[in-house]
Amino acid sequence: MENYKVLVIGGSRNIGYYSAVRLLGLGATVTFLLRSPQVFEQDETIQNYVKEGKARLIQGDALVKNDVRRAWSEAQADDTRPVDFLIFTVGGTPHFSLTKGFTISPPNLVTQCLINALETLPSPHPKIITISSIGLTHASHKSLPLPLKPVYSYLLPAPHKDKCGAEEVVAHCAGWKWDARDSAGDEILGVDWTSRVPNAGELKDITVIRPALLTDGECRADVKDKGSEAYRVKEGDLEGSWTVSRKDVAHFLVEGVVRHWQEWEGKCTSIAY
């Protein structure tokens, strides 16, 4: 992955951050679009890569289209080679309500940030990896373990509706089938959103990763060199999906998807222990 150019949107923490650090360690140049670059001021790992010129911290908001366009330009800077990958892991900070469960503000954060990223795509298009979640669609919800179904239905409907909107955008651009019952609606997608993104079926270099319920546990794949045997992955829905750590999702994203792109390109893949 030496000399890869990667733009990470949503990389200040969690899966985006862990993925970026792995990519940096493999020689990639990673550009972060950050609302507050100060988040890395005390991060020795990132600061060392900044000094080496391998990590670039761009201040901006993915909800602002011009900021995203500028991030694309910065990610391609220095030579004429295009950006190789977009790692899109945007997720809001949830707030809990007894009546609504967890909510994020704005409620369409993930969907609109993704639309901005797709609307400003450079040419040639980079390969795109987005993070979603299991249990979003009607079909995916059916495959959840029974005890988790009320958790997803009561505690997580708002953030999941946003992620479902993002998946609908991906499905449109990639030409995948989409059940109309799962549409997030205009309040998430916006009116005439299809006019802002690539045409239906035009975007083939894209994949979606759907993790199970996320934890802050260790990366099992790095323990005793278990590698990908530490977790299960499957295109489509994965039965018995309880949890998976953010660090293991990052492991799969880099060591599985980026390294073996042709195997995962154009797929929606679930991951769990």
Side-chain angles (χ1 to χ4, degrees):
M1 299 179 200
E2 188 76 28
N3 298 323
Y4 270 16
K5 291 180 177 179
V6 180
L7 173 60
V8 178
I9 300 179
S12 64
R13 57 195 176 97
N14 296 335
I15 296 170
Y17 174 81
Y18 300 132
S19 300
V21 170
R22 281 187 175 275
L23 289 164
L24 287 163
L26 294 169
T29 297
V30 177
T31 301
F32 294 83
L33 178 61
L34 302 162
R35 282 183 293 179
S36 177
Q38 291 76 20
V39 70
F40 290 149
E41 278 186 352
Q42 305 301 318
D43 190 315
E44 291 186 10
T45 300
I46 297 297
Q47 288 303 322
N48 286 335
Y49 286 119
V50 170
K51 292 174 184 176
E52 295 173 6
K54 301 297 286 184
R56 299 169 177 171
L57 312 183
I58 308 302
Q59 184 167 15
D61 189 337
L63 285 171
V64 179
K65 185 166 60 175
N66 284 338
D67 287 355
V68 180
R69 184 178 286 113
R70 180 164 49 87
W72 282 119
S73 297
E74 293 292 339
Q76 189 174 321
D78 296 340
D79 57 47
T80 58
R81 291 184 303 109
V83 178
D84 295 286
F85 279 93
L86 166 65
I87 310 297
F88 183 88
T89 61
V90 171
T93 301
H95 302 281
F96 182 72
S97 163
L98 286 175
T99 57
K100 298 180 179 180
F102 288 102
T103 61
I104 58 172
S105 181
N108 58 357
L109 172 69
V110 177
T111 301
Q112 291 307 311
C113 288
L114 180 61
I115 288 175
N116 282 340
L118 297 179
E119 188 175 8
T120 56
L121 273 178
S123 183
H125 294 166
K127 301 173 181 68
I128 301 170
I129 302 172
T130 69
I131 297 295
S132 186
S133 172
I134 65 167
L136 301 185
T137 64
H138 284 74
S140 181
H141 190 81
K142 287 181 180 178
S143 69
L144 289 172
L146 186 60
L148 284 184
K149 290 185 178 182
V151 175
Y152 278 64
S153 297
Y154 169 66
L155 293 179
L156 300 171
H160 278 184
K161 187 174 184 180
D162 186 19
K163 287 185 180 293
C164 205
E167 277 205 23
E168 185 173 354
V169 171
V170 171
H172 167 83
C173 296
W176 300 346
K177 291 183 179 179
W178 187 258
D179 189 331
R181 296 178 302 167
D182 297 321
S183 179
D186 290 347
E187 67 272 22
I188 298 295
L189 291 158
V191 179
D192 297 329
W193 63 272
T194 56
S195 66
R196 298 178 54 198
V197 298
N199 295 327
E202 180 181 335
L203 204 59
K204 301 301 183 183
D205 288 344
I206 194 165
T207 189
V208 174
I209 300 174
R210 288 177 170 177
L213 196 63
L214 291 165
T215 74
D216 290 322
E218 65 179 356
C219 180
R220 296 185 186 179
D222 284 339
V223 177
K224 297 181 181 179
D225 298 320
K226 285 184 177 179
S228 60
E229 295 180 359
Y231 46 73
R232 298 178 297 138
V233 293
K234 178 187 174 185
E235 182 181 4
D237 298 319
L238 184 61
E239 297 292 333
S241 297
W242 289 87
T243 64
V244 68
S245 75
R246 294 174 172 88
K247 291 180 180 178
D248 271 319
V249 176
H251 180 277
F252 172 64
L253 190 155
V254 175
E255 302 298 336
V257 179
V258 173
R259 280 194 185 275
H260 305 284
W261 177 254
Q262 290 184 337
E263 181 179 351
W264 302 104
E265 176 185 19
K267 295 180 179 179
C268 183
T269 304
S270 299
I271 175 172
Y273 291 137

